Amino acid sequence: MIPEIGHILLIITFVSSFIQSIFWIITLGSRNTVNLIILQKFAVTNFILISSSFSILLYSFIISDFSLLIVTNNSHSLKPLIYKISGLWGNHEGSLMLWTLILTFFTYLISRNKSQISFKLLSSILGVQTIILFSFLAFILFTSNPFERLETPPIDGKGLNPLLQDPGLAFHPPILYLGYVGLSVSFSFAVAALITGEINQIWARQIRPWITIAWSALTLGIALGSWWAYYELGWGGWWFWDPVENASFMPWLIATALLHSVRLLETRLILVSWTVLLAILGFSFSLLGTFIVRSGLLTSVHAFATDPSRGIFILIILTIATGVPLILYAIRSSDLYTEKKIEFSVFSKETALLINNLFLSTATLTILIGTLYPLFLDAFNGEKISIGPAYYNATFAPIMAPVILIMAIAPFLNWGTKINNNFSKKILFIIFITVLGALVLSMIKGATLFSIVCGSLSIWLFSGVLINFISQTKLNNLKKGEFRSWLNQLINNNLGMHIAHLGVAVFLAGITGEQFFKTEINGRKNIGDIIKIGDRFLKFDDIKFESGPNYKSEMAIFTLSKNNNLIDTLKPEKRFYPVQQTQTTEAAILSEFFGDTYLVLGDGNKEIGWSVRLYYNPLVSWIWGGACLMALGGIISIFRNRKTKPNIIIRNTI
Amino acid sequence: MINILKFYMILIFSFMITPQSYVFADNQSLNKDEIINKTREISQNIRCLVCRNQSIDESNSELAKDLRVLIKGKIIDGLSDKEIYNYLSNRYGDYILLNPPFKTNTILLWLLPFLILISGCFVMIKFLKK
Amino acid sequence: MSYNVKIIKMLPLILFFSIVLVSGLVLYQVKYDLKDTKELKSQLIGKSIPLISIPEINYDKKINKNINFNDFKNNIFAVNFFASWCAPCRIEAPVVEELSKFIPVIGIAYKDNAEDNKKFLNDYGNPYDKIGLDNLGKVAIEWGVYGVPETFLINRNGIIIYRHAGPLLYDVYKTDILPLLE
């Protein structure tokens, strides 16, 4: 009975969002502010309805109600509670419910906006969000109903893939969806701007936190997914340029470009139509990603159950959701024009941000080409090719390199035509440190040209961030006694940006270490053998057989020591999950600041020994750490509240 | 500004060519360790057709093992990297190569990013002049 | 000037629609089973039989002989890679039997041994005119085989004209009777 209520709630919301959409379209030309209030009330209602429906689904998972198809397919009575919960969104139907929940929540938050934003703009934003809600509910109700019942419920569920029973992977989807849905908000802002013809600095100020939240969430979500792959898949790989990974990376790149473009818009009111285009495309890429993953278009180890009819439905949503705004854009964007001409020199922040946007967009298109090209070629003449890391190293990497270079120096460029006095001094300092660093790198064993370039880029960025932070902090009148106002000044002086850029530098350093200076030892070892890693010794002590809640494991015990002092015990395992009939390897990883010791157990027995793979991955934690810093920087920057003077007005057309 | 652009174009171009350097790699007279490294290097660029998301270097399937043995044999015979990749793609198609070759049907693939960048630069310069 | 700008603003739209069009096309094909996204096209179609010699499987330790494909010239014939340990091979056995009524079928035992192979044939029937043994998998690599079972059709001139990867199911069998009509 209860799940039916959940289903009915969905239907009610579906009808309600339909009515709202019609209402909004009808009242588009009107100047009556009551319409906005009605839309706001609707937003609250939608949120309440969907969260109730979601809670019912959640409840069904928690009590293991196997009369629901979704619970049977994705849960099992033996699963720990947290994985029963995360099993809700680890599949197609459930993930859509989660997406819709976040969508209604964000819409509700927008409806509470009390800033100076015009009521027409706000109504349109809410209107567009509602149409998105309507489309997703249509998709759910017609092709992906989570509340579908089973005629004869089984005694127990089919369990979940043991690979997915994991803290990293449990939180990867929700965080990622926060990002995707956040991009839908900026999308709505952009479309609303096209419809109402209103874009100004207030618009930019209001959209910025949403883009930032989306960007930070995407950063964390992608990093979490990669980190999971690193420790779960057993060979230390963390990025494969897989279509699904690319599908999450492209929105991230666009969000980064958008973040910077909006900054430009907010301060100098240029790149208006470009920013609008980016905001539209950000959400389109999120939808495109959804499409690729669920449609059977591209097979991938990641892909959800592939179903062409669902794919066609999403394709239709994608076409309308992107096509209509793009048509609007082609027609209306020339009306969003600023009348004041601004000037800026070649060595200005404006130029830097322009270049940043150009290169980031090209990088995004490059990844799109790499992801879709095999598909197109296959459709064209049936030939199948694959696009692997070498392609992206040859195209994506060289395109991103200038972005890194500029990232370090842009913060101390000025707006407009003012030239910074200390500019040349600062650049020389950065160049000096980088050349020094490059020399040091070239002396490390195993250094190649690529590794030196990558490492140097990281050092370049590190020194840039350092210089910028010092010079910006010096500009403050630091009254050390007053901590709060000091912190406030720091934040207003771009602390968020510094931390985020620092995060990129750390990330790059991590890549350099992990990719280029990794060492591997492969072989057959038996109990009692000792492997030497640098100045440490890894001793194979024992093999044990253990049982977990839903698996049996063969576990090796290794002890790592230096100078006869125990550093740690590593226990790589091979697990067998009887319900799923699958075997997984659990690598033993010792994560330290300067690198990971990564140990994998293979097949074997007491007679011939076991096949063992040992990696040392220098600086690999810096990859995840860098991403966390980036997200942290993003979140801090939300609290930046410099008052921008809206002294440039755009001609409004309706 | 133009000089910076020129320098940068040369840099990009050299980056794009470097991965293709395997074309010229000759495998005569390698010692034992080098043979193993070269086998692994080539294997990392070959897709396992059984577990399609892994290279044959990573995969444990029978076919992967057989192909690794085959590649090692060919290296010992002195075939160049390119000849080995061709040997495999002649029998299994370009799909088995994890990196797209530079052929008539992939010219667009390799050149498009570059072209987009250049046209983007032109548009931007035009915009700046306004 | 504004004309140029209009074109530039239309660009994303045009690009987008072309992507949608192609994706829709591919999806349409996938949905109506007009193409199988997992199966690979054989590189050997249109080429002659690979030159690698295949020893005949030796059940009774008799004299060693290689399979001579010239024996089958002027005839369309099939080559079927199979193995006693391969489950789908059991499923396709009746269809291969059916095929062998029309044309000669040469079996190649992949990574198999004579004893197990003999048992398999006893259990599931022996439709083969000749059987070769590829115990190391080298023949399979020359033929671009990536799994068992796989079935090839060769025409009168020794040219490979068709390859099916996976078990030969009855509906697939129907679609390749057509070339047989030549």
Side-chain angles (χ1 to χ4, degrees):
Chain A
M1 183 54 209
I2 296 182
E4 272 65 37
I5 297 181
H7 192 199
I8 293 175
L9 286 172
L10 284 182
I11 299 179
I12 297 178
T13 327
F14 176 65
V15 173
S16 151
S17 60
F18 180 68
I19 297 176
Q20 289 171 66
S21 309
I22 304 285
F23 175 75
W24 167 65
I25 293 176
I26 294 178
T27 60
L28 253 182
S30 133
R31 294 170 193 267
N32 194 343
T33 47
V34 176
N35 298 324
L36 175 61
I37 298 180
I38 296 179
L39 284 174
Q40 284 170 321
K41 296 293 179 216
F42 262 123
V44 182
T45 321
N46 288 339
F47 176 52
I48 295 178
L49 288 171
I50 295 290
S51 38
S52 313
S53 181
F54 187 85
S55 311
I56 290 178
L57 190 60
L58 189 61
Y59 174 70
S60 307
F61 265 90
I62 293 179
I63 61 166
S64 290
D65 178 0
F66 295 119
S67 67
L68 281 184
L69 180 63
I70 191 179
V71 181
T72 303
N73 282 340
N74 298 294
S75 194
H76 195 276
S77 52
L78 290 177
K79 267 173 58 173
L81 180 63
I82 186 162
Y83 296 130
K84 284 185 184 158
I85 296 178
S86 70
L88 189 160
W89 54 70
N91 60 80
H92 171 71
E93 295 84 355
S95 65
L96 286 179
M97 282 296 287
L98 181 62
W99 182 302
T100 316
L101 176 70
I102 302 178
L103 183 66
T104 50
F105 179 55
F106 280 2
T107 312
Y108 163 64
L109 288 179
I110 297 173
S111 74
R112 302 191 52 196
N113 189 312
K114 300 207 166 41
S115 76
Q116 304 158 282
I117 206 170
S118 94
F119 86 89
K120 258 202 240 122
L121 194 59
L122 190 57
S123 316
S124 286
I125 295 173
L126 290 176
V128 176
Q129 287 280 92
T130 310
I131 294 187
I132 299 177
L133 176 65
F134 171 72
S135 328
F136 267 80
L137 281 171
F139 184 54
I140 291 179
L141 285 170
F142 291 116
T143 73
S144 326
N145 180 10
F147 294 107
E148 198 175 317
R149 291 272 207 183
L150 278 175
E151 289 259 334
T152 41
I155 301 187
D156 214 331
K158 297 189 188 156
L160 190 62
N161 189 337
L163 278 183
L164 300 178
Q165 276 181 54
D166 178 284
L169 218 58
F171 290 105
H172 165 69
I175 296 182
L176 214 53
Y177 291 164
L178 278 175
Y180 289 152
V181 182
L183 283 180
S184 82
V185 172
S186 58
F187 170 84
S188 305
F189 266 80
V191 175
L194 281 175
I195 293 177
T196 61
E198 292 180 11
I199 275 205
N200 53 25
Q201 276 149 323
I202 299 175
W203 181 91
R205 273 230 73 211
Q206 292 305 309
I207 199 180
R208 190 162 51 83
W210 290 105
I211 300 177
T212 316
I213 292 177
W215 179 85
S216 303
L218 281 177
T219 311
L220 278 179
I222 296 175
L224 207 56
S226 295
W227 180 55
W228 174 85
Y230 170 74
Y231 69 71
E232 185 57 45
L233 296 181
W235 59 83
W238 52 273
W239 190 260
F240 308 95
W241 297 105
D242 181 84
V244 174
E245 291 173 319
N246 293 350
S248 65
F249 192 41
M250 287 187 280
W252 183 87
L253 285 168
I254 296 203
T256 313
L258 191 53
L259 206 57
H260 292 83
S261 162
V262 159
R263 180 92 169 83
L264 201 53
L265 185 76
E266 192 182 338
T267 323
R268 304 288 274 162
L269 262 180
I270 57 170
L271 285 194
V272 173
S273 58
W274 174 252
T275 307
V276 167
L277 182 64
L278 274 185
I280 295 176
L281 290 179
F283 186 54
S284 308
F285 273 97
S286 306
L287 284 179
L288 185 69
T290 311
F291 172 56
I292 288 181
V293 172
R294 290 155 210 270
S295 64
L297 205 59
L298 292 163
T299 44
S300 146
V301 116
H302 271 102
F304 286 106
T306 53
D307 182 351
S309 28
R310 284 179 176 165
I312 293 180
F313 203 113
I314 304 188
L315 187 58
I316 296 176
I317 295 184
L318 177 64
T319 311
I320 300 179
T322 311
V324 170
L326 281 182
I327 294 175
L328 253 180
Y329 175 78
I331 301 175
R332 292 271 286 172
S333 67
S334 357
D335 295 335
L336 304 168
Y337 248 120
T338 173
E339 300 194 340
K340 179 169 174 179
K341 291 228 183 299
I342 60 163
E343 284 191 10
F344 49 90
S345 79
V346 168
F347 289 102
S348 65
K349 258 212 206 357
E350 286 92 335
T351 316
L353 286 172
L354 273 174
I355 297 182
N356 155 296
N357 255 255
L358 169 66
F359 280 81
L360 277 172
S361 316
T362 311
T364 313
L365 283 176
T366 305
I367 297 187
L368 186 65
I369 293 172
T371 310
L372 290 182
Y373 197 87
L375 185 72
F376 282 22
L377 196 65
D378 194 0
F380 190 61
N381 62 9
E383 274 182 47
K384 289 185 159 53
I385 63 168
S386 19
I387 308 222
Y391 174 75
Y392 296 100
N393 289 339
T395 51
F396 180 76
I399 295 179
M400 287 303 279
V403 177
I404 312 282
L405 289 175
I406 295 187
M407 206 191 297
I409 59 180
F412 53 75
L413 293 173
N414 284 325
W415 293 105
T417 49
K418 255 199 309 180
I419 303 275
N420 192 322
N421 296 333
N422 297 327
F423 183 68
S424 33
K425 254 202 288 179
K426 291 176 181 168
I427 285 235
L428 279 172
F429 175 76
I430 297 180
I431 295 180
F432 176 68
I433 303 253
T434 308
V435 169
L436 213 65
L439 284 172
V440 171
L441 278 173
S442 56
M443 296 192 289
I444 302 181
K445 173 176 157 204
T448 63
L449 180 64
F450 264 136
S451 64
I452 297 178
V453 170
C454 196
S456 311
L457 280 174
S458 169
I459 296 175
W460 171 278
L461 191 53
F462 262 117
S463 28
V465 170
L466 189 67
I467 287 244
N468 282 318
F469 182 67
I470 293 177
S471 59
Q472 284 227 301
T473 332
K474 269 206 287 203
L475 289 175
N476 300 345
N477 298 325
L478 292 179
K479 307 178 197 103
K480 284 256 176 84
E482 287 266 24
F483 182 70
R484 275 213 77 168
S485 73
W486 175 74
L487 191 64
N488 224 8
Q489 277 194 308
L490 261 187
I491 294 181
N492 282 341
N493 275 321
N494 300 313
L495 179 67
M497 174 192 79
H498 291 128
I499 294 186
H501 287 183
L502 178 69
V504 179
V506 170
F507 175 77
L508 275 178
I511 293 186
T512 312
E514 190 270 340
Q515 279 279 68
F516 301 111
F517 296 104
K518 181 201 299 244
T519 48
E520 180 183 341
I521 300 176
N522 219 327
R524 207 152 264 284
K525 304 284 171 198
N526 214 329
I527 300 184
D529 285 347
I530 299 183
I531 311 173
K532 186 170 183 297
I533 329 168
D535 55 357
R536 297 171 168 187
F537 295 94
L538 188 66
K539 179 153 179 277
F540 191 171
D541 279 339
D542 203 0
I543 285 273
K544 281 210 198 133
F545 291 91
E546 301 207 342
S547 290
N550 48 358
Y551 61 86
K552 293 205 182 329
S553 129
E554 181 183 1
M555 184 191 295
I557 316 274
F558 280 78
T559 41
L560 184 66
S561 47
K562 174 175 168 177
N563 298 333
N564 278 322
N565 296 326
L566 176 69
I567 301 177
D568 206 346
T569 315
L570 281 86
K571 303 184 187 167
E573 299 174 49
K574 282 202 327 272
R575 290 189 186 170
F576 181 69
Y577 290 82
V579 173
Q580 286 289 113
Q581 289 282 311
T582 47
Q583 195 187 58
T584 64
T585 43
E586 302 290 316
I589 308 178
L590 175 63
S591 281
E592 296 169 293
F593 188 72
F594 284 112
D596 279 5
T597 310
Y598 191 106
L599 188 58
V600 181
L601 180 70
D603 289 318
N605 54 50
K606 279 213 172 78
E607 283 80 48
I608 57 174
W610 282 264
S611 122
V612 161
R613 257 181 305 144
L614 173 67
Y615 302 94
Y616 184 70
N617 300 323
L619 297 186
V620 68
S621 307
W622 290 35
I623 298 178
W624 333 119
C628 290
L629 278 176
M630 285 196 252
L632 180 66
I635 295 175
I636 290 180
S637 76
I638 296 180
F639 296 101
R640 186 174 170 276
N641 58 5
R642 265 227 192 107
K643 293 263 183 276
T644 43
K645 299 181 276 276
N647 53 5
I648 303 175
I649 306 168
I650 297 187
R651 172 169 46 105
N652 291 338
T653 48
I654 294 148
Chain B
M1 197 67 169
I2 307 261
N3 282 329
I4 299 178
L5 240 87
K6 273 198 207 148
F7 168 72
Y8 178 61
M9 296 300 177
I10 299 176
L11 203 68
I12 298 186
F13 213 64
S14 46
F15 267 20
M16 285 181 71
I17 296 194
T18 320
Q20 300 290 337
S21 66
Y22 73 73
V23 168
F24 307 108
D26 189 5
N27 293 318
Q28 320 266 356
S29 59
L30 292 180
N31 70 39
K32 197 162 166 223
D33 274 337
E34 287 170 338
I35 292 178
I36 295 182
N37 284 338
K38 181 55 86 166
T39 308
R40 297 211 61 195
E41 182 190 314
I42 297 184
S43 301
Q44 279 160 6
N45 288 327
I46 301 291
R47 183 192 292 274
C48 172
L49 292 176
V50 177
C51 329
R52 302 230 178 137
N53 256 52
Q54 291 180 305
S55 69
I56 60 174
D57 182 59
E58 293 156 347
S59 169
N60 285 324
S61 71
E62 284 293 312
L63 181 64
K65 289 188 196 150
D66 292 343
L67 287 175
R68 292 199 297 262
V69 169
L70 178 98
I71 292 175
K72 185 169 182 186
K74 298 268 177 230
I75 295 175
I76 293 176
D77 287 343
L79 265 68
S80 75
D81 286 14
K82 181 162 193 190
E83 286 170 326
I84 297 179
Y85 288 125
N86 280 342
Y87 184 90
L88 287 171
S89 63
N90 282 339
R91 282 151 186 77
Y92 288 100
D94 287 337
Y95 184 65
I96 201 176
L97 303 174
L98 274 178
N99 294 302
F102 196 78
K103 279 158 71 164
T104 35
N105 64 351
T106 60
I107 280 189
L108 210 62
L109 175 69
W110 289 98
L111 290 185
L112 256 185
F114 200 50
L115 291 173
I116 294 177
L117 192 62
I118 296 184
S119 35
C121 280
F122 276 127
V123 171
M124 195 179 79
I125 294 178
K126 246 196 177 166
F127 174 77
L128 285 179
K129 286 217 177 105
K130 237 177 36 162
Chain C
M1 173 61 207
S2 66
Y3 186 62
N4 274 345
V5 175
K6 271 273 161 143
I7 302 239
I8 293 186
K9 305 260 162 135
M10 297 272 286
L11 216 61
L13 193 62
I14 299 173
L15 212 70
F16 173 68
F17 273 121
S18 35
I19 294 180
V20 167
L21 222 72
V22 177
S23 311
L25 221 84
V26 176
L27 255 191
Y28 177 77
Q29 290 180 316
V30 171
K31 180 169 167 74
Y32 294 105
D33 268 334
L34 295 174
K35 78 168 34 251
D36 182 359
T37 43
K38 290 211 175 86
E39 201 178 307
L40 295 180
K41 208 166 68 170
S42 167
Q43 295 297 302
L44 299 176
I45 307 248
K47 303 204 185 122
S48 354
I49 301 174
L51 292 172
I52 189 170
S53 49
I54 310 174
E56 277 193 44
I57 197 167
N58 218 331
Y59 294 118
D60 306 318
K61 305 275 199 289
K62 283 200 225 141
I63 312 165
N64 289 334
K65 226 178 1 156
N66 286 340
I67 293 192
N68 189 352
F69 286 108
N70 284 327
D71 292 344
F72 298 92
K73 226 172 182 178
N74 300 322
N75 230 327
I76 291 187
F77 62 98
V79 172
N80 175 252
F81 282 80
F82 73 109
S84 61
W85 48 262
C86 149
C89 302
R90 300 172 195 173
I91 299 178
E92 74 164 3
V95 185
V96 180
E97 171 84 45
E98 186 68 28
L99 179 64
S100 68
K101 292 184 188 155
F102 295 98
I103 56 173
V105 181
I106 302 177
I108 301 188
Y110 173 75
K111 298 238 173 151
D112 217 346
N113 61 63
E115 202 181 304
D116 294 332
N117 195 264
K118 197 167 183 188
K119 267 197 228 136
F120 177 88
L121 296 175
N122 281 339
D123 291 339
Y124 297 97
N126 184 355
Y128 303 114
D129 273 48
K130 281 225 161 65
I131 303 174
L133 177 63
D134 178 20
N135 64 334
L136 291 175
K138 293 199 175 184
V139 178
I141 292 182
E142 285 304 311
W143 284 66
V145 167
Y146 58 94
V148 277
E150 282 191 27
T151 308
F152 293 80
L153 281 183
I154 293 112
N155 74 4
R156 299 169 214 277
N157 300 318
I159 307 282
I160 299 178
I161 56 175
Y162 177 82
R163 186 272 293 267
H164 177 73
L168 203 61
L169 299 172
Y170 199 69
D171 45 349
V172 179
Y173 172 64
K174 278 278 172 83
T175 66
D176 60 2
I177 295 183
L178 294 168
L180 285 176
L181 291 178
E182 269 184 301

